[in-house]
């Protein structure tokens, strides 16, 4: 596992956090029947909702993400999908200044009430960073990016917990003008040979 460093938090601390996040997210075939999107059995997957819906881990991760965002001058983040919602909440609740703002992106505009596609106090004129738990192909991130840009938001980057470096998602996202900041980079050499990609 390789862990990027963009803030004063100690590299050793980030590596330890990354290791614990990975271990708590890992679901193996021998423990539970799991499938890919086509319904085919797979060897493993990472379910970040397990650690990120635990208070202590969410607080740690939120502190790191908030620190990295503030280091880039970012004060607002937006999440799309269940994997990102806890990241948004943990980031905006992290102590420090300036105060962070967060938003959630819907799959479609709400048909009643305020009829919003993007929920929350985000400001269109301020730089916004997408949060996503896993960067694999990049399709989910690009869908969220399209929603935000169509709503007039200035999206500048993507912050993710895990970057599956073998899938080319980073290159795909960067080609659309975003920088990518991942807490943990995984490659196939670091995964058991019997395992298969799932996200």
């Amino acid at each position: 596992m390789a862990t990027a460093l963009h803030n004063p938090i100690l590299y050793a601390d980030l590596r330890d956090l990354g290791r614990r996040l990975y271990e708590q997210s890992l679901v193996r075939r021998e423990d539970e029947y799991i499938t890919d999107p086509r319904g085919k059995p797979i060897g493993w997957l990472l379910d970040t909702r397990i650690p990120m819906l635990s208070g202590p881990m969410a607080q740690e991760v939120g502190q790191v993400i908030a620190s990295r965002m503030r280091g880039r001058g970012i004060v607002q983040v937006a999440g799309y999908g269940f994997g990102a919602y806890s990241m948004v909440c943990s980031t905006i609740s992290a102590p420090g200044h300036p105060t962070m703002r967060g938003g959630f992106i819907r799959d479609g505009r709400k048909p009643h009430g305020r009829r919003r596609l993007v929920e929350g106090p985000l400001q269109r004129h301020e730089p916004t960073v997408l949060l996503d738990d896993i960067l694999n192909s990049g399709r989910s991130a690009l869908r969220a990016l399209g929603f935000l840009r169509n709503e007039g938001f200035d999206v500048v980057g993507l912050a993710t917990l895990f970057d599956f470096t073998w899938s080319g998602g980073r290159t795909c996202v960067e080609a659309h003008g975003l920088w990518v900041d991942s807490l943990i980079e995984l490659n196939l050499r670091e995964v058991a040979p019997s395992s298969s990609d799932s996200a």
Side-chain angles (χ1 to χ4, degrees):
M1 249 182 296
T3 307
L5 179 64
H6 297 295
N7 60 67
I9 297 172
L10 294 177
Y11 179 76
D13 293 339
L14 285 177
R15 282 193 62 86
D16 177 66
L17 174 60
R19 177 188 56 78
R20 289 184 287 116
L21 185 62
Y22 176 84
E23 290 173 352
Q24 293 178 36
S25 299
L26 184 62
V27 179
R28 294 185 180 276
R29 175 170 45 203
E30 53 265 32
D31 300 321
E32 183 178 337
Y33 181 71
I34 48 180
T35 65
D36 68 11
R38 297 175 300 274
K40 296 176 61 177
I42 54 176
W44 65 276
L45 60 76
L46 296 179
D47 184 352
T48 64
R49 291 161 296 193
I50 297 171
M52 287 301 296
L53 291 174
S54 167
M57 179 61 81
Q59 289 172 359
E60 281 189 77
V61 173
Q63 182 86 41
V64 170
I65 296 174
S67 175
R68 292 159 90 100
M69 295 304 98
R70 289 175 179 132
R72 291 179 176 266
I74 301 298
V75 298
Q76 61 182 27
V77 294
Y80 175 61
F82 282 106
Y85 294 156
S86 58
M87 292 176 65
V88 170
C89 293
S90 65
T91 299
I92 65 175
S93 64
H97 297 283
T99 302
M100 304 289 292
R101 290 190 300 272
F104 295 148
I105 307 163
R106 293 179 174 273
D107 269 320
R109 189 175 303 281
K110 189 175 180 180
H112 56 277
R114 302 181 76 187
R115 298 176 294 134
R116 290 191 165 193
L117 183 64
V118 181
E119 300 287 358
L122 302 183
Q123 303 296 315
R124 285 177 170 80
H125 63 278
E126 291 194 22
T128 302
V129 169
L130 275 171
L131 299 186
D132 201 354
D133 59 340
I134 294 173
L135 175 58
N136 191 2
S137 67
R139 286 191 299 268
S140 177
L142 293 182
R143 181 173 172 81
L145 173 63
F147 285 147
L148 285 174
R149 285 186 170 168
N150 286 340
E151 291 291 296
F153 287 94
D154 177 21
V155 187
V156 297
L158 168 69
T160 185
L161 300 180
F162 296 103
D163 177 4
F164 291 175
T165 60
W166 61 84
S167 295
R170 176 184 290 264
T171 300
C172 183
V173 170
E174 289 175 340
H176 285 77
L178 304 187
W179 47 258
V180 176
D181 183 13
S182 59
L183 182 64
I184 305 154
E185 294 178 353
L186 296 177
N187 63 58
L188 286 172
R189 291 191 302 269
E190 297 160 344
V191 179
S194 61
S195 299
S196 60
D197 178 17
S198 61

